[in-house]
Amino acid sequence: SLVINNGFNWDKNDVKKNTNTTELRKTYGFSIDNFIWIAVGRLIPTKDYLLLLESFLVLYKKDDNVRLLIVGKGQERHKMKKFIVNNSLDSVVVIINPIFDIDQIYLMADAYISTSQFESFGMTLVEAIIFNLPVLSTKNGGAEEILYNDKIGLLIDNRESSYISSLMLETMSNPKKNIAAYDNLKEKYNIENILDIWISLYLNTIKKWF
């Protein structure tokens, strides 16, 4: 058997050229000065978005310049909206349905966070890394394959909202801390390298049979 990694397009020049991040932020009610955290994924219990909202609430009380954008749809949306309203976060937390131009969201954001309980593979983590976003994620299975503490992103091993919010605040104070290590992932997940592996596999298989 042979394990072949997922492939991602690392060339985002077109998105960067054609996206006005200032105007995009205004679309969602954010300013150019806000620090925007994003999370992308289905609104289901295993993603534990309520933990994210609880952590964000603690963070917001320490820094009211912070904002949160969640992209996804699912059964937890009603609970999440109720939490947002009950804690007067309507103007600082935005939930939107999945969009085709998701790359624009990554480009607009300042940092990415995942509070999932379980993940098979952290696809959105790699997508965020492609845009050089600092990444925080709880230990959930898939994240460990991608992130390495103090080298690539940051793995969270404590699911208390106060602890997570403290790491979010720390990341905001030094968002470029781990960015230099991201190039290591380009070799591993770049679609061009992955295609070369598939082509080699097909050619070697053909040689064995013909």
Side-chain angles (χ1 to χ4, degrees):
S1 63
L2 176 66
V3 176
I4 301 179
N5 292 319
N6 288 307
F8 295 81
N9 178 15
W10 236 265
D11 182 9
K12 301 297 182 179
N13 289 330
D14 287 344
V15 178
K16 294 175 181 178
K17 289 180 181 178
N18 298 318
T19 302
N20 185 325
T21 54
T22 300
E23 291 301 317
L24 190 58
R25 283 177 172 234
K26 289 181 180 179
T27 300
Y28 297 109
F30 305 140
S31 76
I32 191 64
D33 297 322
N34 290 143
F35 190 101
I36 302 175
W37 285 89
I38 63 166
V40 180
R42 291 177 296 159
L43 311 184
I44 56 177
T46 55
K47 299 291 187 180
D48 209 348
Y49 280 114
L50 287 179
L51 174 60
L52 173 56
L53 290 173
E54 290 169 359
S55 303
F56 178 82
L57 177 60
V58 177
L59 176 64
Y60 181 67
K61 290 178 179 178
K62 298 177 182 178
D63 185 345
D64 61 6
N65 189 52
V66 70
R67 300 291 185 268
L68 175 63
L69 176 65
I70 300 173
V71 183
K73 61 180 180 179
Q75 65 197 69
E76 292 288 282
R77 189 184 186 99
H78 177 71
K79 290 182 181 179
M80 294 166 63
K81 292 294 289 185
K82 184 177 180 181
F83 181 95
I84 291 170
V85 171
N86 289 345
N87 289 281
S88 302
L89 295 173
D90 312 61
S91 61
V92 295
V93 177
V94 177
I95 302 176
I96 64 172
N97 288 328
I99 61 174
F100 177 76
D101 295 325
I102 188 65
D103 282 354
Q104 292 184 340
I105 300 299
Y106 287 112
L107 187 60
M108 175 190 71
D110 295 298
Y112 186 90
I113 185 168
S114 168
T115 50
S116 291
Q117 297 172 353
F118 309 103
E119 288 286 351
S120 56
F121 178 77
M123 184 173 73
T124 58
L125 303 184
V126 178
E127 291 175 345
I129 286 170
I130 290 173
F131 285 94
N132 289 323
L133 294 180
V135 173
L136 294 185
S137 176
T138 48
K139 289 186 175 180
N140 51 47
E144 286 89 322
E145 182 180 346
I146 300 167
L147 304 181
Y148 307 91
N149 280 335
D150 297 323
K151 294 182 180 178
I152 298 178
L154 186 64
L155 287 167
I156 303 168
D157 55 8
N158 183 330
R159 299 188 66 84
E160 294 182 5
S161 58
S162 58
Y163 179 74
I164 294 174
S165 67
S166 68
L167 292 182
M168 294 173 76
L169 190 61
E170 180 183 328
T171 298
M172 291 167 62
S173 66
N174 189 10
K176 301 300 181 182
K177 179 180 179 181
N178 297 317
I179 299 301
Y182 285 0
D183 286 342
N184 298 332
L185 293 184
K186 186 174 182 178
E187 182 72 20
K188 188 174 182 179
Y189 295 111
N190 193 323
I191 187 62
E192 295 180 3
N193 297 337
I194 300 302
L195 285 175
D196 287 341
I197 296 174
W198 278 109
I199 291 171
S200 177
L201 175 63
Y202 288 139
L203 291 176
N204 289 334
T205 303
I206 291 173
K207 289 178 182 178
K208 291 179 181 179
W209 286 95
F210 298 98

